[in-house]
Amino acid sequence: DAGVTQSPTHLIKTRGQHVTLRCSPISGHKSVSWYQQVLGQGPQFIFQYYEKEERGRGNFPDRFSARQFPNYSSELNVNALLLGDSALYLCASSLRGVQGNSPLHFGNGTRLTVT
Amino acid sequence: GENVEQHPSTLSVQEGDSAVIKCTYSDSASNYFPWYKQELGKGPQLIIDIRSNVGEKKDQRIAVTLNKTAKHFSLHITETQPEDSAVYFCAASSGGADGLTFGKGTHLIIQP
């Protein structure tokens, strides 16, 4: 079975631009979460979606948004990019939402560089 | 919100020796504690997890212990091998809408 797949693997953007990152969960998993990992730090929670509804949101500005599609894939959008948005963006899927603590399985991430 | 502290930040052990990584958490409502291993260029891989109704869990060379009173949990790796070299993260969750809260990671180096 394929694991969590993310695209693109690497991306370079300029300050002020917009970016869309994509994620396909493990087959059968209905929940997708997004995390930001800055170099040398642990991942930080951005969003969780379950059954196409937002179920949780971390401490990130409104420039960050996401959605989940009927096939359970997901997109993370970031507007008005700042240099500080440079990071590894990780997508994780689980059978159920974090509520109930279903184990998260991560993809290999999208490395975003903002110049 | 939850705060997870992880120590040490770097741990170097001889191949075949044991390694212990320790984490503390602040939110007494946290009830799920996973450990992840992250290799260079890859996403975190779940290696073991424990829930708050269990004090210890073991899977071959890996074990995790949980002390709810002290809000402390630890990862133990025995008979370390070169392929154990990686960054290890602990995390905690209360099952609410805040997702997993991760520690800052431990870079484990296995010396041949």
Side-chain angles (χ1 to χ4, degrees):
Chain A
D1 272 347
V4 176
T5 56
Q6 294 187 241
S7 63
T9 55
H10 296 82
L11 202 52
I12 300 175
K13 290 285 189 179
T14 304
R15 276 177 299 176
Q17 286 188 318
H18 162 270
V19 68
T20 297
L21 310 180
R22 295 178 174 84
C23 171
S24 292
I26 292 170
S27 178
H29 284 194
K30 298 183 177 181
S31 177
V32 168
S33 299
W34 287 94
Y35 286 76
Q36 181 196 64
Q37 186 176 24
V38 174
L39 201 61
Q41 301 291 317
Q44 187 174 358
F45 174 67
I46 309 175
F47 285 111
Q48 191 226 345
Y49 277 78
Y50 178 63
E51 288 286 13
K52 302 175 284 291
E53 291 188 7
E54 182 182 305
R55 300 302 179 110
R57 171 186 283 255
N59 188 23
F60 280 80
D62 291 344
R63 300 184 295 108
F64 288 77
S65 64
R67 55 180 175 167
Q68 186 176 32
F69 298 100
N71 66 353
Y72 301 107
S73 67
S74 178
E75 283 183 354
L76 175 69
N77 295 282
V78 187
N79 293 324
L81 285 166
L82 303 174
L83 294 179
D85 295 331
S86 295
L88 181 68
Y89 287 85
L90 294 162
C91 175
S93 76
S94 60
L95 275 172
R96 301 180 300 275
V98 175
Q99 290 86 345
N101 288 321
S102 184
L104 294 186
H105 301 273
F106 285 88
N108 286 330
T110 294
R111 172 71 63 188
L112 173 64
T113 302
V114 182
T115 61
Chain B
E2 175 65 278
N3 183 49
V4 176
E5 300 281 343
Q6 182 171 348
H7 299 280
S9 57
T10 303
L11 178 60
S12 181
V13 301
Q14 290 294 125
E15 182 179 349
D17 287 350
S18 295
V20 180
I21 302 170
K22 299 181 179 182
C23 289
T24 59
Y25 61 98
S26 62
D27 187 354
S28 57
S30 288
N31 55 16
Y32 176 63
F33 307 92
W35 286 87
Y36 287 86
K37 173 184 181 183
Q38 188 171 27
E39 297 174 289
L40 201 60
K42 295 188 176 181
Q45 175 191 3
L46 178 68
I47 56 172
I48 195 167
D49 58 10
I50 191 168
R51 300 178 189 275
S52 59
N53 58 346
V54 174
E56 184 173 355
K57 183 176 178 180
K58 191 172 182 179
D59 182 4
Q60 299 184 327
R61 297 187 296 110
I62 294 174
V64 57
T65 58
L66 171 65
N67 182 329
K68 286 176 57 180
T69 303
K71 295 181 188 170
H72 170 276
F73 58 114
S74 300
L75 178 71
H76 304 252
I77 305 174
T78 59
E79 301 172 6
T80 53
Q81 300 168 3
E83 54 264 37
D84 294 330
S85 293
V87 179
Y88 290 80
F89 291 96
C90 63
S93 169
S94 63
D98 296 335
L100 287 175
T101 300
F102 283 81
K104 291 187 176 181
T106 296
H107 186 193
L108 177 62
I109 302 166
I110 307 302
Q111 303 279 7

